[in-house]
Amino acid sequence: MANDTNLEINLHPTQDELSRQAFIVKFKQKVNLDLQKDIRTYVAKNIAPQLESDLGEPLDDLNRDHRKALKQRMADEHLFQTWESLTWIGQDMMWNVVDETLDHDLPRIDAAAAKVLKRKDKLGSLTLDPNLDLPPNIAKVEIHRQPGGFCLERDGVDYDLLSGARMTGGGMLYGAGKGRTAKPGYSAAHFLISEAEKQFGKLKPKRILDIGCGTGFNTATFARMFPDAEVYGIDVAAGLLRWGHARCESEGVPIHFNQMSTAKMDFEDESFDLVASTIWGHETTPQILQDSIAEIWRVLAPGGISFHMDVTNQPGYQGLVDQVLNDWQIRHNGEPFWMGWADADLPALMTAAGYPEDCQFTGYRKRTQGAGDWFVHGAQKPA
Ligand SMILES: C[S@@+](CC[C@H](N)C(=O)[O-])C[C@H]1O[C@@H](n2cnc3c(N)ncnc32)[C@H](O)[C@@H]1O
């Protein structure tokens, strides 16, 4: 697993924990890849023909009534029930192994962070806003079933890194369990920049904003790729930003982390040449997404580029069986906003926020690491 123990602000699992991690990833891959494939085959052979005959029409991926009808039929199937149980168990095992490491490693990480943060010559900054009205969709939900959620703050802990540590440990296993292993050192931000440059030519941003930056993993890639740029990362979750700040300072990457919502950003109009995000939009609500799309346009400088990558669970892209599996993940696996994202009409949201139609883009881009695509959306503001 990608447990780089050369980095002091990172999880350092024991050999036993590494071997449990490897088992959990294999387990999750069996469930997420092989079993899901078996379910698709099973439905096509054993459920769809009868359902189509009962409905009197062919199944249509865009028809919500068809999704509902298929969901009802699948609910009683042993194969689907097995998948539900194993998906749940796999997620439990994942968080257990992360916490097993943190039980012995968090004190070391806390001490390493404290040492880094005492330095007078810090490269970036961390600005938290204790008065921020935390959006309940993040603050009150255990996204991905992460214990305590992203906004976890333990009583009596001054510089609480636990949510950032958990997101870092769980994120790696979660992605790998879906077959998304990237070569070491490659992050989604590399893909984003290479796609943006294919579309717009060489980028030379002076100010970059990464929205919904989480622990700043991708923000750090932006800063490394554009060492002359001033780079900002925003998120609502303080613990994730603390982790990002400590880790980036420890690695010598200058980033300004700010706790704020993408729906109301405390930045001047037209102040960023590049506004980017990686897997942020699918964790918003429809209202927050609409407000954030407007805010992105407001802070984007003339000639600037807004470029965002996210999950591909749109009906039409995704068949009915996967929509039913998604629906289960929404209800039971800490992905409550997936369906809102799947149904989001990005062109309509951008147009409503004043983006000229000929400046916008949306579409699917083939991943260069791992199977599948990314959904991308964004715009270039006229110069
Ligand atoms: C799946 S994580 C992705 C984090 C990071 N971009 C990455 O690629 O690792 C989504 C992030 O969006 C943040 N987020 C969700 N809604 C937000 C909002 N309204 N304002 C700021 N951040 C938000 C969450 O707290 C979370 O850290």
Side-chain angles (χ1 to χ4, degrees):
M1 289 291 78
N3 290 285
D4 188 342
T5 47
N6 292 321
L7 303 176
E8 46 180 4
I9 312 293
N10 203 12
L11 284 75
H12 293 187
T14 63
Q15 218 41 50
D16 281 352
E17 287 154 9
L18 282 173
S19 89
R20 275 196 282 286
Q21 286 186 10
F23 167 76
I24 292 163
V25 167
K26 285 272 176 241
F27 178 94
K28 277 178 153 284
Q29 286 177 348
K30 270 267 161 238
V31 179
N32 287 331
L33 306 177
D34 300 352
L35 192 50
Q36 289 193 9
K37 195 165 153 212
D38 291 348
I39 293 176
R40 283 183 212 109
T41 310
Y42 181 86
V43 169
K45 199 163 155 220
N46 301 298
I47 300 183
Q50 184 61 50
L51 184 54
E52 288 186 334
S53 148
D54 294 349
L55 291 168
E57 57 187 357
L59 286 173
D60 172 359
D61 291 344
L62 296 174
N63 188 321
R64 282 164 193 248
D65 291 335
H66 289 183
R67 185 201 296 166
K68 207 166 144 197
L70 180 62
K71 185 178 156 186
Q72 277 166 0
R73 301 277 165 112
M74 281 170 65
D76 293 332
E77 293 291 338
H78 176 69
L79 200 55
F80 178 64
Q81 292 169 348
T82 305
W83 173 85
E84 290 176 300
S85 308
L86 295 179
T87 302
W88 179 271
I89 290 167
Q91 199 75 345
D92 267 355
M93 291 196 299
M94 179 185 93
W95 290 121
N96 284 343
V97 80
V98 169
D99 272 2
E100 237 178 285
T101 300
L102 290 173
D103 280 348
H104 62 82
D105 202 31
L106 196 57
R108 181 197 59 75
I109 300 173
D110 281 337
K115 204 164 134 205
V116 166
L117 297 170
K118 267 201 205 116
R119 286 189 202 149
K120 295 228 161 29
D121 54 346
K122 283 206 273 307
L123 301 165
S125 61
L126 172 67
T127 309
L128 298 182
D129 177 1
N131 298 319
L132 180 68
D133 210 0
L134 295 174
N137 61 304
I138 299 296
K140 301 236 181 289
V141 176
E142 292 188 325
I143 305 258
H144 307 150
R145 293 180 46 220
Q146 175 171 326
F150 295 163
C151 292
L152 171 72
E153 296 289 328
R154 288 169 298 161
D155 285 344
V157 180
D158 269 352
Y159 193 91
D160 198 347
L161 288 165
L162 184 54
S163 66
R166 280 184 172 145
M167 187 197 234
T168 302
M172 277 178 338
L173 301 173
Y174 195 68
K178 286 185 186 267
R180 293 188 194 132
T181 37
K183 66 177 188 227
Y186 187 88
S187 80
H190 287 107
F191 180 83
L192 187 150
I193 296 299
S194 77
E195 287 299 311
E197 292 196 331
K198 264 189 225 161
Q199 192 168 339
F200 298 105
K202 193 89 192 121
L203 302 185
K204 290 186 194 121
K206 291 200 188 74
R207 275 168 60 93
I208 301 174
L209 174 60
D210 182 13
I211 61 171
C213 68
T215 54
F217 182 67
N218 287 299
T219 330
T221 300
F222 294 131
R224 287 190 167 107
M225 292 181 92
F226 299 103
D228 296 330
E230 202 179 357
V231 182
Y232 288 77
I234 67 165
D235 204 285
V236 289
L240 308 184
L241 295 170
R242 285 188 204 105
W243 175 277
H245 177 55
R247 176 146 169 181
C248 287
E249 290 299 322
S250 153
E251 292 177 35
V253 186
I255 293 173
H256 301 291
F257 287 102
N258 292 66
Q259 186 182 19
M260 64 176 79
S261 172
T262 54
K264 192 170 180 304
M265 298 192 233
D266 195 11
F267 292 120
E268 291 195 0
D269 294 357
E270 308 200 323
S271 52
F272 289 97
D273 312 300
L274 175 63
V275 181
S277 72
T278 50
I279 48 172
W280 150 80
H282 77 281
E283 283 184 4
T284 59
T285 62
Q287 186 62 52
I288 290 176
L289 186 60
Q290 171 74 84
D291 293 346
S292 305
I293 292 286
E295 277 292 86
I296 291 168
W297 191 247
R298 181 184 67 74
V299 301
L300 194 62
I305 289 161
S306 154
F307 204 106
H308 309 274
M309 303 171 27
D310 220 301
V311 296
T312 53
N313 58 1
Q314 296 74 19
Y317 179 89
Q318 204 165 55
L320 281 181
V321 175
D322 286 275
Q323 291 176 40
V324 173
L325 300 181
N326 257 359
D327 184 77
W328 184 89
Q329 305 260 15
I330 286 165
R331 284 163 214 282
H332 306 293
N333 213 24
E335 290 289 4
F337 305 104
W338 267 7
M339 213 38 102
W341 171 250
D343 291 334
D345 182 346
L346 266 306
L349 293 182
M350 287 192 269
T351 301
Y355 296 45
E357 276 173 25
D358 59 354
C359 298
Q360 312 168 8
F361 62 89
T362 57
Y364 296 98
R365 304 281 167 84
K366 192 157 183 41
R367 288 173 188 255
T368 48
Q369 307 274 312
D373 295 323
W374 285 105
F375 175 74
V376 299
H377 63 96
Q380 181 170 36
K381 204 171 204 178

